Amino acid sequence: MKYCAFLRGVNVKGTNMKMAEVCQVFKNAGMEEVSSVLASGNIVFSSDKKAEELKMILEKAMSEHFSYEAFLFVKSREETASFWNNVPFEKSDDFHIYAFVGGGGVETILMEEFGKASQVENEKAEIVNGLFYWQVPKGNTLDSTFGKVLGKKSLKDQFTSRNINTFEKVLKKMN
């Protein structure tokens, strides 16, 4: 089965991860047809194992190899396609749209955090089929109140986010 592992923290200070090296870690852990998509921690691969087992195997391999606490989320091709197919916002050159990959229930936590945060004009969040999406005007991602919430250490093992365009690139690589 085809999977994508969405890694969190590939730019963590001191880890200095190169995607070719990450791919080799995946191969050494028994994954097949391994390749990266962009340089932001999206690894496409094949395996006969279930996603939950792969998460444990790959987090352990990454943690040992790079000497950091690895967090990743393994999604099947169908699950990855759902991120792309359920986008609730219209694409625009003025906005970034992010989808959040995480464990069950993370969308509720994110919506609560979004509700507490102050928003800039046209900043929106929506949950569609259990997936959390965030629209933010370009140039405001890191400065927004919600953007700062995303860096909370208490949430680091619960999700990672990707620009919606990344899902399209990942899906093309999974075909």
Side-chain angles (χ1 to χ4, degrees):
M1 178 180 269
K2 283 277 195 183
Y3 291 99
C4 184
F6 297 93
L7 284 68
R8 178 171 175 120
V10 295
N11 297 320
V12 174
K13 189 174 182 178
T15 56
N16 195 23
M17 286 185 210
K18 304 283 185 250
M19 288 302 104
E21 192 175 358
V22 172
C23 286
Q24 190 58 53
V25 171
F26 273 56
K27 289 174 188 172
N28 293 347
M31 304 308 118
E32 298 176 1
E33 302 177 81
V34 179
S35 62
S36 64
V37 181
L38 305 172
S40 56
N42 311 293
I43 309 297
V44 173
F45 64 97
S46 293
S47 176
D48 292 333
K49 294 181 176 19
K50 294 194 180 310
E52 301 80 27
E53 187 179 358
L54 291 167
K55 177 177 171 53
M56 292 181 349
I57 291 167
L58 294 169
E59 283 181 342
K60 183 176 189 288
M62 290 290 293
S63 294
E64 289 173 358
H65 184 83
F66 289 104
S67 300
Y68 87 116
E69 189 175 11
F71 297 105
L72 57 86
F73 304 92
V74 178
K75 300 295 179 186
S76 68
R77 189 199 182 294
E78 294 73 27
E79 290 171 313
T80 303
S82 68
F83 285 95
W84 175 251
N85 294 330
N86 288 298
V87 179
F89 308 118
E90 195 170 316
K91 284 188 153 196
S92 165
D93 290 338
D94 298 329
F95 297 98
H96 286 298
I97 300 171
Y98 295 93
F100 290 72
V101 183
V106 72
E107 70 280 0
T108 306
I109 294 166
L110 290 167
M111 188 57 87
E112 287 173 8
E113 292 291 344
F114 184 79
K116 292 182 214 172
S118 59
Q119 283 90 43
V120 297
E121 187 177 349
N122 294 314
E123 182 178 2
K124 301 175 187 172
E126 198 168 318
I127 297 172
V128 179
N129 295 330
L131 305 174
F132 183 86
Y133 294 90
W134 176 42
Q135 174 184 281
V136 62
K138 287 186 176 176
N140 288 311
T141 304
L142 299 176
D143 295 333
S144 77
T145 306
F146 183 66
K148 290 182 172 109
V149 165
L150 302 179
K152 279 179 146 179
K153 288 187 192 268
S154 63
L155 298 174
K156 72 179 179 182
D157 63 341
Q158 296 185 43
F159 69 87
T160 189
S161 63
R162 296 292 186 272
N163 186 297
I164 200 63
N165 298 324
T166 300
F167 290 95
E168 182 180 29
K169 290 176 175 87
V170 167
L171 286 168
K172 283 180 181 174
K173 195 86 160 205
M174 292 178 101
N175 287 332

